Amino acid sequence: MNTLIAEHRTAPTTFGIPTSFPTGPRIEIVGHMHDRFDEILTPDALQFLADLHQLFAGRRHDRLADRMRRRFEIGNGRDPKFRDDTASLRADATWRVAGAGPGLEDRRVEITGPTDRKMTINALNSGAKVWLADQEDATSPTWTNVIGGQISLFDAIRRQIDFTSPEGKVYRLTTGETPTIVMRPRGWHLVEKHLTFTDSSGSAMAASGSLVDFGLYFFHNAKALIDAGRGPYFYLAKLESSEEARLWDDVFSFAEEELGIEHGTIRATVLIETLPAAFEMEEILYELRDHCTGLNAGRWDYIFSIIKNYRGRGARFVLPDRSDVTMTVPFMRAYTELLVKTCHKRGAHAIGGMSAFIPNRRDPEVTARAIEKVSADKKREAGDGFDGTWVAHPDLIDTARAEFDAVLGDRPNQIDRQRDDVTVTAAQLLDVHIGRAVTDAGLRDNVSIGVRYLESWLRGIGAAAIDNLMEDAATAEISRSQVWQWIHQDVRTDDGSPITRDRVERILGELLATVDRFDGDRFDDAADVFRDVALRDEFPTFLTVGAYSRFLVDLA
């Protein structure tokens, strides 16, 4: 029996660890308390978080250590491959995932966005089938955003949410049937420094962002969601292995048992947005099979993951301008076709990614171009077999829906389309040759987008419209990692000029001299962060980690 099957537990109870601890593991609040925070950070909720951390924080650290080892191996020439030890699992055609929970049967259009009150109301009024309530890449993790987002979700689920803007505009729910909420907690690599976990031995550490986001949402809302005919549903971000999926599955099983909820009530959709995860799609589905409904093609983080893992492997792995890395280039085509085939083989939804183009209600030409681009993107996805897709703006819902309606008709999905015509090899997943040059315009765009996004993020805005594209942490990661790679691989732009630190510094200076400044802007800080993540010899694994500790932590 292979390792995955041997170690999987369908309904774990104690996970080999006592559920009560003599010295009392605890979560302490070290951030400022604001209005209504006490409704979320209740003693019982904090104890639930403490139990989650006592049981799973150690395994989280083990999985993060695995990531470091894997990156080191790839950087030193060991390409990822499909696992030999799980070949029998992939060959076994009998197993299936749990599939859609109530309210998740039809996912043809999902809207994504942060969880502030205004965006929450707009998403719920949008007419989409699903709202990805994003506590991760679209949310700048300020303390007020993290807990404020939980308050927004708490109120939204109970239909008691409204908001009045500083200008006096009132936002409230205007529709009877709202999208099914699927919440995305932060990835395993992120911490929540406004909460401190002290384990049963007395060791203290920052809390896990994943366990905080999941735990607070589940504790306060699981039963209300079930009573409303939906359920506690989650998107899982940045997974790199089936072992990380197994960790989430055990978290889910413990949480269900702790709150007296039937095993398998939770449903998760995993974003395949890292290169290692692309080689373990079936294993990830298997480990989460009691709780899983599907996979999503997280395209922007996937491109970032390719760059991050192969940044030092020579010119063969250098990608051209970000705008030239489209969904039809070889490695992206292979990845998405494999995802659809894998999902439908196991009875899972395959959800497409987000096109970054967004409309501009003040510019009809920009809007027409965005609709054209998004329509083509969604037509390709629906034709390839995806069961649904993402949009980032309400004005694009009808465009995306039309393309999926044309393929699905009255059917909720096309899982029955098995894609037996698809065969994807490891070499195809790693075929990053595009045949386009890096241009001066592409370099300048990366610097400009990176700095302007970081400026927005430092002010607490995690999803920003920049040059008629929706930028979040994932797209900014592409921009800064490309600059780092181009410098370190001695890339020249198509006019023959080398890309150097000095050249990027000049572009930074020109940007800061010409960008529209305003009271309270964070452009100087943003430029400093960009230098840290794009111009230093060391390559930080995520651009937000250091900036979070330096700028967003607000301790009492």
Side-chain angles (χ1 to χ4, degrees):
M1 184 179 293
N2 70 58
T3 304
L4 289 175
I5 296 175
E7 292 187 6
H8 186 80
R9 298 176 288 270
T10 57
T13 54
T14 63
F15 303 88
I17 303 174
T19 54
S20 61
F21 307 98
T23 56
R26 61 190 183 276
I27 293 282
E28 295 176 282
I29 303 168
V30 293
H32 291 278
M33 293 293 286
H34 300 286
D35 183 42
R36 297 189 62 194
F37 275 32
D38 59 335
E39 298 177 32
I40 301 297
L41 300 170
T42 64
D44 287 344
L46 293 177
Q47 186 56 55
F48 182 65
L49 292 185
D51 292 342
L52 286 173
H53 279 78
Q54 183 68 22
L55 289 168
F56 302 111
R59 286 174 60 189
R60 166 183 172 264
H61 286 290
D62 291 342
R63 299 291 76 79
L64 294 178
D66 289 344
R67 289 186 182 184
M68 293 177 62
R69 173 188 51 77
R70 190 179 301 109
R71 282 195 300 273
F72 179 82
E73 291 174 348
I74 294 174
N76 280 275
R78 183 177 178 181
D79 291 334
K81 63 176 185 176
F82 298 106
R83 289 172 62 160
D84 294 329
D85 63 327
T86 57
S88 61
L89 183 153
R90 297 193 299 275
D92 180 356
T94 62
W95 62 270
R96 296 290 185 275
V97 301
L104 278 182
E105 298 87 356
D106 187 332
R107 305 176 63 175
R108 67 188 67 199
V109 184
E110 305 188 358
I111 191 167
T112 74
T115 54
D116 62 90
R117 294 185 80 79
K118 175 183 171 181
M119 297 304 293
T120 294
I121 295 168
N122 285 344
L124 294 177
N125 287 335
S126 69
K129 290 291 188 180
V130 169
W131 172 39
L132 188 166
D134 194 2
Q135 291 282 85
E136 213 235 5
D137 274 354
T139 291
S140 171
T142 66
W143 181 225
T144 53
N145 281 349
V146 168
I147 304 302
Q150 294 282 349
I151 294 170
S152 295
L153 291 165
F154 182 95
D155 288 347
I157 289 163
R158 293 157 180 81
R159 296 189 65 88
Q160 62 189 32
I161 188 168
D162 57 25
F163 173 69
T164 301
S165 73
E167 298 77 25
K169 184 175 181 180
V170 177
Y171 297 79
R172 57 172 57 94
L173 294 181
T174 59
T175 181
E177 184 177 355
T178 57
T180 299
I181 299 173
V182 181
M183 195 271 256
R184 177 161 69 165
R186 282 170 285 181
W188 283 126
H189 62 291
L190 296 171
V191 296
E192 179 48 69
K193 287 181 174 286
H194 299 94
L195 296 173
T196 298
F197 167 60
T198 302
D199 66 17
S200 56
S201 69
S203 298
M205 65 197 76
S208 159
S210 298
L211 295 179
V212 168
D213 294 346
F214 162 79
L216 292 176
Y217 180 77
F218 183 82
F219 182 85
H220 287 295
N221 301 305
K223 292 182 178 178
L225 286 162
I226 295 167
D227 291 344
R230 305 284 177 88
Y233 304 143
F234 299 91
Y235 261 109
L236 303 182
K238 307 293 190 296
L239 264 64
E240 295 198 12
S241 69
S242 55
E243 285 78 11
E244 292 184 23
R246 184 188 311 159
L247 174 55
W248 267 120
D249 192 69
D250 287 347
V251 169
F252 293 159
S253 294
F254 171 79
E256 289 168 333
E257 182 177 356
E258 191 74 359
L259 267 64
I261 291 171
E262 183 179 355
H263 177 74
T265 299
I266 292 172
R267 289 291 193 274
T269 304
V270 178
L271 291 108
I272 301 300
E273 55 184 352
T274 68
L275 177 64
F279 286 85
E280 298 191 32
M281 292 188 201
E282 287 195 76
E283 291 87 342
I284 287 169
L285 287 174
Y286 181 84
E287 291 296 346
L288 281 159
R289 65 192 183 280
D290 290 350
H291 294 108
C292 194
T293 185
L295 303 177
N296 169 272
R299 57 179 69 174
W300 304 115
D301 264 304
Y302 189 75
I303 295 169
F304 165 53
S305 180
I306 292 279
I307 301 167
K308 175 164 62 175
N309 281 285
Y310 281 88
R311 66 190 184 276
R313 288 278 299 270
R316 185 163 69 92
F317 294 99
V318 171
L319 296 178
D321 293 356
R322 196 184 90 170
S323 60
D324 287 331
V325 188
T326 67
M327 296 305 296
T328 59
V329 302
F331 75 94
M332 295 299 286
R333 190 83 182 130
Y335 143 73
T336 53
E337 291 208 309
L338 178 61
L339 188 147
V340 172
K341 178 178 182 175
T342 301
C343 284
H344 290 182
K345 177 182 177 182
R346 303 302 180 182
H349 286 139
I351 307 300
M354 186 185 76
S355 175
F357 294 94
I358 55 174
N360 184 331
R361 292 172 180 173
R362 296 182 298 275
D363 191 330
E365 184 177 333
V366 168
T367 296
R369 185 163 58 249
I371 289 174
E372 179 185 5
K373 295 284 189 181
V374 171
S375 178
D377 184 59
K378 304 316 171 188
K379 182 176 183 178
R380 176 191 50 76
E381 288 182 332
D384 284 348
F386 281 96
D387 303 292
T389 193
W390 285 3
V391 297
H393 194 286
D395 290 355
L396 296 173
I397 290 174
D398 288 345
T399 299
R401 182 187 290 118
E403 298 300 340
F404 275 84
D405 286 350
V407 172
L408 294 178
D410 294 331
R411 296 178 299 158
N413 57 63
Q414 52 182 331
I415 291 175
D416 59 336
R417 187 178 173 198
Q418 290 293 294
R419 292 308 308 268
D420 293 331
D421 56 309
V422 170
T423 300
V424 175
T425 66
Q428 288 173 312
L429 288 174
L430 298 174
D431 181 7
V432 299
H433 178 71
I434 297 175
R436 302 293 294 273
V438 177
T439 69
D440 180 69
L443 174 61
R444 289 178 178 276
D445 282 347
N446 275 347
V447 175
S448 176
I449 289 168
V451 171
R452 286 191 288 163
Y453 175 77
L454 282 166
E455 192 280 328
S456 172
W457 187 87
L458 290 170
R459 287 187 289 110
I461 300 171
I466 299 174
D467 297 337
N468 301 307
L469 297 174
M470 183 58 72
E471 306 285 351
D472 65 8
T475 56
E477 289 282 23
I478 298 173
S479 292
R480 70 93 181 185
S481 60
Q482 281 200 309
V483 172
W484 191 98
Q485 186 185 39
W486 292 342
I487 291 171
H488 286 262
Q489 295 301 321
D490 299 321
V491 172
R492 293 175 179 266
T493 50
D494 57 355
D495 61 2
S497 303
I499 298 176
T500 64
R501 288 183 178 86
D502 287 344
R503 182 176 178 180
V504 175
E505 280 286 5
R506 289 195 299 272
I507 294 172
L508 268 173
E510 293 168 9
L511 174 66
L512 294 176
T514 57
V515 72
D516 292 333
R517 305 296 294 259
F518 53 90
D519 289 342
D521 76 47
R522 304 296 297 275
F523 282 109
D524 293 330
D525 290 334
D528 284 344
V529 173
F530 188 83
R531 291 184 182 97
D532 285 341
V533 299
L535 300 186
R536 297 176 61 186
D537 286 338
E538 180 184 354
F539 182 88
T541 53
F542 291 95
L543 67 83
T544 56
V545 172
Y548 168 75
S549 297
R550 182 178 172 189
F551 291 108
L552 299 191
V553 177
D554 180 24
L555 303 183

